[in-house]
Amino acid sequence: MNIDSLNIVMSIVFGVGALMFWMSFYPEKLNFLIDRISNNDDYNATIIDKKQKDVILTMLLPLAQKIGEKNHESVEKKQKKELLKLDKLLDSAGRPLKIKAIELYNMKFAGMIIFGLFFLLAGIAMDIGVILAPIGFLMGMFLPTAHVKSLAKQRKISIERE
């Protein structure tokens, strides 16, 4: 790998990192999604409370809201059982960031995009090709739900202690 291609890969990795950093802070005053979808009564995006800190969910929520803006009607029709299951999971986890089931559902796809691209670029930067990309896609797909399940488990343990 020559120095020019390494510079290109590193600039792409830096750009993706900057995007992920921006998305992790997603200020509630700049929640432009609410303005864009305020005329739709079925779907309202979650506004992140600054007091709650959850890096994984906070990082994936803005992209999940963008995806949800386009697919919420079809998902709610076709995936009712899945959404009910996710809603119960979110309730048992204490509604982290007050997210909705449709947003958690869309976080799988947002995670696939973000982690897949990150692992793809990392694999290219380490000169091993695209071997890491499928790992990133799978990790991004299962990480949001697994994280909420671990939050539910922690909450259950703390309730039992009290």
Side-chain angles (χ1 to χ4, degrees), residues 29-40:
K29 299 262 188 227
L30 298 175
N31 195 350
F32 57 89
L33 291 176
I34 291 291
D35 296 332
R36 289 180 64 188
I37 60 175
S38 62
N39 59 357
N40 191 345

Side-chain angles (χ1 to χ4, degrees), residues 50-112:
K50 289 184 179 181
K51 296 174 189 168
Q52 295 180 338
K53 296 291 181 188
D54 192 323
V55 176
I56 295 172
L57 297 178
T58 305
M59 180 180 68
L60 296 175
L61 185 59
L63 187 56
Q65 288 176 342
K66 278 252 189 230
I67 295 169
E69 189 177 290
K70 299 193 180 353
N71 76 346
H72 74 277
E73 291 175 3
S74 63
V75 170
E76 288 175 351
K77 290 177 185 173
K78 296 177 184 174
Q79 301 289 335
K80 284 188 179 194
K81 289 182 182 178
E82 176 78 18
L83 290 177
L84 288 173
K85 184 176 153 183
L86 290 176
D87 202 38
K88 288 179 184 178
L89 177 64
L90 286 167
D91 283 340
S92 65
R95 282 285 167 188
L97 301 177
K98 299 177 184 171
I99 61 175
K100 298 168 183 61
I102 185 82
E103 293 170 336
L104 182 60
Y105 179 82
N106 287 326
M107 279 186 194
K108 292 191 280 187
F109 305 111
M112 286 175 60

